[in-house]
Amino acid sequence: MMTYDRNRNPITEGSRVMINGTGHTGVIRAIHSDGMTAADVRRQQTVEVEGYEGKVAPVELIRLGMH
């Protein structure tokens, strides 16, 4: 699944990202989007980031690089 970060850059599993507000950086491990619209995926906590407990919304992420 592809979605977009807070700056409308495309992000997918394997993308390197930073979580806005915390400064935590990591790689996207999974994007949980089953049965959701693209808008729902972008606004709800659907993304698992390596080394970060819990999920974050794509609008809270800043892409640092693609895989």
Side-chain angles (χ1 to χ4, degrees):
M1 172 68 175
M2 182 179 72
T3 189
Y4 298 90
D5 71 357
R6 70 182 296 112
N7 298 317
R8 297 198 184 265
N9 296 310
I11 54 174
T12 61
E13 292 178 10
S15 297
R16 185 161 173 72
V17 295
M18 179 174 69
I19 301 172
N20 187 46
T22 68
H24 178 84
T25 61
V27 175
I28 295 176
R29 289 292 167 213
I31 300 174
H32 303 279
S33 60
D34 296 336
M36 299 176 127
T37 66
D40 288 340
V41 172
R42 189 160 188 259
R43 291 183 181 96
Q44 295 183 23
Q45 295 181 336
T46 56
V47 179
E48 290 182 29
V49 177
E50 175 184 278
Y52 186 79
E53 189 172 320
K55 297 177 188 172
V56 294
V59 295
E60 297 174 23
L61 300 174
I62 299 169
R63 185 181 79 185
L64 300 176
M66 295 295 278
H67 48 88

